[in-house]
Amino acid sequence: MKQAQFGLRAAAALFAAVTLAWSTGAAAQSAAQRAVDAAKPLCAGGKTITIVWEAGLQSLDPLNFSGPKWEQLTGCKVKVVEAPVSEMFTKIMQEFRAGTGAYDALNVIPAWMPDLAQAGALEVLDPYVEKYGYAKELQSIAATYRDNQMKVNGKIYGFPDDGDVFVFYYRKDLFARDDLKKAFKAKHGYDLAPPKTWKQFGEIGAFFTEALKSEGIYGASMFREAGYGNFMFQERFRNEGGKFFDANMKATVNSPEGVKVLTEWRNENKFMPPGVEKFGFVENLAVFLEGKSAMTISWPPYGRFAAGYLSEEKALSWVPKSKIAGKVGYTLPPGGHPELAAGFALSVAAGSKQKEAAYLFIQWLNSEETSNQRVQLPYALRDPFRDSHFTNPGYLKLWPDAKDYLAALQAASKTGLLDLSLIQTDKYEEALRQGISRLWAGEDPKKILDDIAKQWDEITAKVGVDKQKAVYSAWAAKSGAYPK
Amino acid sequence: MPASCFPLTNSNPTEAFLAATRTLAATRDRRFKYVLVAPSIFVLLLIGIFPLVYLVLVSFQNITMTDMDTSFQGLLNYREMIRSTRMWESLLHTVIFTAIALPVELVLGLAMAQLFIDRIPGRQVFVALLVLPVVISPIVAGATWSLMFDNRFGPINQIIGWLIGGEATILWTINPNLVYPAILVAEIWQWTPFMFLLLLAALSAVDKSQLEAASIDGAGWWRTFFRIVLPAIWPVMAIAILIRGLDLFRLFDIVWALTRGGPGTMTETISIFAYVKGFQQFDTSFTAAVALLIIVLLSIVVMLALKRVELAR
């Protein structure tokens, strides 16, 4: 009897030990590995996952790195459908409407999510997250992205996968010059330092241009082309205290704050390089890397390009050689709340015929393990979006100022402002883009903004005031909607 | 076979029978031919008519980006279309582009054709070079001109800078006074050679003896041109005008590449308006109504034009 009791206890102890060992092992297994293990049997027949990705540098990630690696790990091939950002939404919607099931996984700009989710084009990911134990790793995505760019109506439609945020870049060497510091203090009565307000920005910019134009350096250069200006306006308008709509969902973009932003833009152009009205990503980058501008605002890759990080990389041959490596400082833009401009989330297409395999691919891409490698790819444009990315020891050593760069990105992610996201967001943004191009054509800021507000009210009325109000209220309640 | 099919007047019954048999065979033969071609005609009609019918159907529904509302909505989209000032403005912009570009392309094309009608040295090489813009895709031509007009790196501003002896920062695609000329230059550059080619062929076919006779009779160049050459090339010229007119009405690529319809909507054509509404904002039913309007307008223009040049006969 005793022997039998002992045997029973031993068996129970063994069972408990095995269970503990198994559960510990399972917990220790990374989300990336879980995705690989689960995908292997699904990929046994030699499947191909088709994913929509932004054309250009962005798509070198799946083409050169993650696609081949996923095939090597699981046997699933990855086909990349490249499209310019301006056409991605159209392509995704057209395919969804056609119902061909041609796309399995998608790169989606978070501001599009309400539209795509409402249209039914995106698969709800919660059941997959639960099934493949990804919830824990989702929690280590930086709070701004995790809390604001993942869900619609409480359901997960995409994994934030790109920490796009505007950063203020400035020439440390110019701000440290004694002659300039002395002259600036004498003129304005405060120390020359990276601007904390837009008023300071205007004064510093004008001062630099006046002092350095003979050296071929302008005070600042900025995105002014309407497509980029849309993001810049949204950021600055809210930093000035502006709200997009009032309590009755009436557009208030034509408020004094809006007029102030457009008026100041026009004035600031006077100390920027000629033709700044047409500056987009590349034009502004060229001017800054050539050392012809003392300050600018842009997405994180500017910092890497300016540092000359892996400038010999073939895919980056189009990037002008940086003449300012080691001279660039990174901080938050004036106002302290940068735009979380665009960004990408990974989603599964609702029309996919192999959703499980598509999901596993995006879980693997987005996981701690894989994403830490992807954000360090020199040629791709994925920016840090997980807490671990900002403190990655390898990343911190990539170039001498990488530590400051990552600290600035992390700070920016904490105070960043979300792009406006409503039903039919593009219509609201289109009105804004057209308004900005009218500004450069010489029209009056107040008149432009009144027209934009009128167009916004018409769009809202067409969507349905109550319907849109509910979506806006949910958006405005997010931590990154307005400065707190 | 009804009895009336048999000719009763023929006195010889055998001949009458044979004639009737031949008639019957001919009728059967004709019917058989129709049976053979019927499937092709059916497919052609299906391809041609179905999209139009579907377009009309969709224009009476309310399909948007988020709602697949296929219920009958009456004239909802047509009312909205009529009220849309942006739509009418885009139509006006299209008419302006057409009204300026078409005559310029015609006159330039004709002048060039007149120049190259004579056997001048290097004619073949010049003609080949002149035709190059036509073979380029319009969107590529637009992108090329976008670079040409670039304020920092574009050769146009560079040349102006040399001429004025300083930096020229002319924002061709932003300045409201320059944006139309910029688009028109690109458009005319690309499509004048098309006019040139057609008119060169037409001019080559003009009867030389008539020109010689006119010359002997002492007719001057203008008189000869207006009384002999122009009437001779008119049928080809009319077709060239019609084709280019229709093309200009659909103007999209060059404007899209240069301005995307901006500043604001200042250069937005009806095609760009329809594209933005239909494929960027997915106002599907509204766009169907706009497309129908374009079809109706173009059909009227084509019918009037064909009637005018008497080609419809």
Side-chain angles (χ1 to χ4, degrees), chain A residues 254-333:
Chain A
N254 54 343
S255 61
E257 291 85 3
V259 178
K260 182 171 184 269
V261 171
L262 292 193
T263 309
E264 286 181 358
W265 271 13
R266 189 179 279 169
N267 293 335
E268 288 163 5
N269 283 3
K270 289 172 193 158
F271 61 73
M272 294 189 192
V276 71
E277 294 89 341
K278 285 195 73 181
F279 276 23
F281 187 89
V282 177
E283 295 84 355
N284 192 34
L285 177 70
V287 166
F288 190 63
L289 295 195
E290 283 165 12
K292 291 181 179 170
S293 143
M295 302 181 282
T296 194
I297 291 175
S298 182
W299 281 281
Y302 266 40
R304 304 198 288 271
F305 296 156
Y309 165 55
L310 285 179
S311 57
E312 302 308 317
E313 183 73 34
K314 198 180 165 194
L316 299 177
S317 59
W318 62 274
V319 177
K321 280 266 178 286
S322 175
K323 294 179 182 170
I324 52 170
K327 297 177 181 173
V328 178
Y330 324 98
T331 189
L332 297 181

Side-chain angles (χ1 to χ4, degrees), chain A residues 117-173:
Chain A
Q118 187 158 342
L122 303 181
E123 182 75 359
V124 176
L125 299 180
D126 299 76
Y128 300 94
V129 169
E130 195 178 334
K131 184 176 177 185
Y132 294 107
Y134 193 46
K136 196 179 167 197
E137 280 204 15
L138 280 180
Q139 289 309 305
S140 59
I141 290 177
T144 301
Y145 308 112
R146 181 194 65 218
D147 297 344
N148 295 313
Q149 299 186 338
M150 197 160 75
K151 295 180 180 179
V152 177
N153 296 332
K155 289 177 186 164
I156 302 174
Y157 283 96
F159 299 149
D161 197 62
D162 187 9
D164 267 348
V165 65
F166 280 162
V167 177
F168 187 86
Y169 301 98
Y170 63 95
R171 289 280 300 277
K172 285 191 296 187
D173 57 326

Side-chain angles (χ1 to χ4, degrees), chain A residues 90 94 97 427 430 437, chain B residues 64-65 86 264 279 281 283:
Chain A
T90 301
Q94 277 180 334
R97 284 277 165 87
K427 285 188 178 176
E430 190 206 25
S437 71
Chain B
T64 63
M65 182 191 289
R86 185 172 162 187
F279 297 100
Q281 300 175 347
D283 281 342

Side-chain angles (χ1 to χ4, degrees), chain B residues 126-137:
Chain B
F126 279 118
V127 170
L129 286 173
L130 278 171
V131 171
L132 269 180
V134 181
V135 299
I136 297 172
S137 152

Side-chain angles (χ1 to χ4, degrees), chain A residues 36-204:
Chain A
V36 169
D37 291 346
K40 273 179 187 168
L42 291 174
C43 295
K47 272 187 179 153
T48 299
I49 304 294
T50 303
I51 185 161
V52 179
W53 213 289
E54 187 195 347
L57 283 186
Q58 280 274 13
S59 60
L60 292 181
D61 172 345
L63 287 171
N64 294 355
F65 175 74
S66 50
K69 197 164 179 186
W70 182 247
E71 186 181 356
Q72 189 192 335
L73 291 169
T74 65
C76 262
K77 287 186 168 52
V78 175
K79 183 181 164 194
V80 182
V81 176
E82 292 186 59
V85 174
S86 57
E87 287 167 26
M88 284 174 78
F89 184 87
T90 301
K91 263 182 161 327
I92 291 167
M93 275 299 288
Q94 277 180 334
E95 192 285 325
F96 170 67
R97 284 277 165 87
T100 61
Y103 302 152
D104 300 308
L106 308 166
N107 272 269
V108 168
I109 288 185
W112 301 344
M113 258 191 209
D115 277 335
L116 290 171
Q118 187 158 342
L122 303 181
E123 182 75 359
V124 176
L125 299 180
D126 299 76
Y128 300 94
V129 169
E130 195 178 334
K131 184 176 177 185
Y132 294 107
Y134 193 46
K136 196 179 167 197
E137 280 204 15
L138 280 180
Q139 289 309 305
S140 59
I141 290 177
T144 301
Y145 308 112
R146 181 194 65 218
D147 297 344
N148 295 313
Q149 299 186 338
M150 197 160 75
K151 295 180 180 179
V152 177
N153 296 332
K155 289 177 186 164
I156 302 174
Y157 283 96
F159 299 149
D161 197 62
D162 187 9
D164 267 348
V165 65
F166 280 162
V167 177
F168 187 86
Y169 301 98
Y170 63 95
R171 289 280 300 277
K172 285 191 296 187
D173 57 326
L174 299 177
F175 276 87
R177 258 171 62 172
D178 286 337
D179 58 331
L180 295 173
K181 282 161 78 175
K182 202 181 283 179
F184 183 81
K185 181 125 191 195
K187 188 170 184 183
H188 292 290
Y190 60 95
D191 289 332
L192 180 62
K196 298 280 181 215
T197 64
W198 285 106
K199 183 174 179 290
Q200 288 180 1
F201 171 80
E203 288 169 353
I204 295 168

Side-chain angles (χ1 to χ4, degrees), chain B residues 13 24 34 59 68 74-75 104 112 116 164 177 188 193 243 257 297:
Chain B
L24 189 64
Y34 291 142
S59 75
M68 287 295 286
L75 295 172
V104 174
M112 282 158 62
F116 281 92
I164 62 171
N177 299 318
I188 290 164
I243 293 172
L297 283 177

